[in-house]
Amino acid sequence: MSVEAIEDLDGLRTFLGPARSKGRVIGLVPTMGALHGGHGALIERARADCDRVIVSIYVNPTQFGTGEDLARYPRRLEDDLAFCEFRGVDAVFAPTDAVMYPDALHTWVEPGVEAQGLCGESRPGHFRAVATIVLKLIHAVGPSRAYFGEKDLQQLAVVRRMVADFNVPVEIVECPTHREPDGLAASSRNGYLDSGEREAARVLYRALRAARQRIADGGRDPNEALGAARAVIASEPMARIDYIEVVGPEDMQPVPRIQGTVRVAGAVWIGGTRLIDNVRCEAPREAQPT
Ligand code: AMP
């Protein structure tokens, strides 16, 4: 059976009506398309957990700032439909701007502390638009579960908190970052890189691993871990740091001292392409005085 492509809210209601009335578990995987292995991993997880899997494909214009890559963001719906069909997706919801924004919105979701710093600082207004569109997509589909990747760590923190704050009846399922064999996190933006830039892009994950190693070795000072990461990035002439931070796993705020679980999150420019990534780090337990 081929995957259904649905453009509007009525179509979605008609398609999901029978499944909903039979109490089937519906899973939503929100994406901006140009699907790759990272999306594939989310879809597989949803396929294993849910009776019906809906992938949404929508390049949300309001989450792109002036001068960002909205116009050149890759759009290839036909390929994406084939990708979804191959992975057993039941329907792709690919709305137009007129469906998602029939009028200019008067109401927006205003995320809190989770949206401050990191990408929130480099991309003002981005997470307000992300939270708003995610809420609209969740209301449109009405899933029991929605799947998000840890690659977009801050987005996940914003969405998790929004769902808790607004009692949105959906379970947010967090999926690990899918990487290319050389460690680069899969991303639709990797396609912007030429072969030299693609080689240089490996530096981000290498830098994050260097920071993680410092922490695993018992380093408690975030600046020390960040110094190790910065030194790796400095060794790659094509890379320019946007930010690199050690943050708490829930609120995304820089930690003064490393304890328990933290995340090292970074964004680098490789030529004209901005890439993000992060790793989870566990500080070893401090020896107790005897
Ligand atoms: P995007 O299409 O880039 O907006 O991503 C849609 C969803 O896929 C988000 O929840 C992302 O976090 C997730 N995603 C994107 N890349 C990866 C990856 N490499 N590994 C895991 N999840 C990812």
Side-chain angles (χ1 to χ4, degrees):
M1 202 181 79
S2 74
V3 67
E4 188 111 6
I6 300 171
E7 251 196 30
D8 58 22
L9 301 178
D10 280 345
L12 207 47
R13 249 171 248 131
T14 308
F15 180 81
L16 287 173
R20 220 186 293 286
S21 62
K22 287 185 202 134
R24 301 283 190 246
V25 175
I26 297 168
L28 169 64
V29 182
T31 81
M32 298 206 300
L35 301 178
H36 51 65
H39 301 114
L42 269 57
I43 292 170
E44 254 169 50
R45 177 78 192 274
R47 193 61 283 169
D49 286 358
C50 304
D51 301 313
R52 297 284 180 277
V53 175
I54 310 296
V55 170
S56 65
I57 297 181
Y58 182 57
V59 182
N60 174 34
T62 62
Q63 72 190 57
F64 288 76
T66 5
E68 290 188 357
D69 57 344
L70 174 61
R72 75 162 175 156
Y73 198 85
R75 290 162 172 87
R76 28 176 196 261
L77 187 58
E78 283 310 312
D79 290 353
D80 289 348
L81 290 174
F83 184 101
C84 288
E85 183 165 341
F86 184 71
R87 286 162 179 79
V89 169
D90 295 287
V92 169
F93 178 48
T96 57
D97 289 340
V99 167
M100 293 318 283
Y101 296 100
D103 276 315
L105 297 188
H106 290 188
T107 313
W108 293 82
V109 177
E110 200 61 65
V113 67
E114 297 78 16
Q116 287 162 22
L118 310 181
C119 294
E121 190 161 325
S122 316
R123 308 185 69 187
H126 172 70
F127 288 115
R128 172 184 197 251
V130 167
T132 302
I133 201 70
V134 168
L135 189 61
K136 282 170 74 74
L137 288 168
I138 288 173
H139 283 317
V141 174
S144 308
R145 302 196 177 109
Y147 294 79
F148 290 85
E150 288 179 359
K151 198 262 226 164
D152 298 274
L153 181 72
Q154 196 172 15
Q155 165 173 288
L156 187 50
V158 164
V159 168
R160 206 195 287 128
R161 185 66 196 213
M162 171 186 73
V163 161
D165 283 347
F166 290 170
N167 308 109
V168 184
V170 67
E171 180 192 345
I172 300 300
V173 181
E174 309 182 5
C175 303
T177 299
H178 178 83
R179 299 183 180 281
E180 303 298 346
D182 65 359
L184 178 67
S187 164
S188 306
R189 290 187 168 99
N190 292 349
Y192 297 156
L193 304 169
D194 68 24
S195 63
E197 291 171 338
R198 172 63 187 78
E199 186 64 25
R202 304 166 63 175
V203 77
L204 177 54
Y205 185 48
R206 277 207 284 123
L208 297 176
R209 284 201 331 250
R212 184 169 62 190
Q213 189 60 54
R214 273 301 161 95
I215 294 171
D217 290 344
R220 302 274 164 180
D221 178 359
N223 290 321
E224 205 182 283
L226 293 175
R230 285 204 185 91
V232 172
I233 295 172
S235 71
E236 172 46 67
M238 290 175 98
R240 182 167 59 81
I241 296 178
D242 179 9
Y243 66 75
I244 179 134
E245 287 286 2
V246 183
V247 297
E250 299 292 328
D251 67 1
M252 301 288 107
Q253 295 308 293
V255 296
R257 186 176 152 74
I258 296 168
Q259 276 173 313
T261 305
V262 293
R263 290 270 180 174
V264 184
V268 295
W269 286 95
I270 305 287
T273 303
R274 185 174 170 281
L275 300 174
I276 62 170
D277 198 353
N278 70 90
V279 293
R280 177 196 169 100
C281 305
E282 295 288 344
R285 289 172 71 92
E286 276 173 293
Q288 300 297 316
T290 47

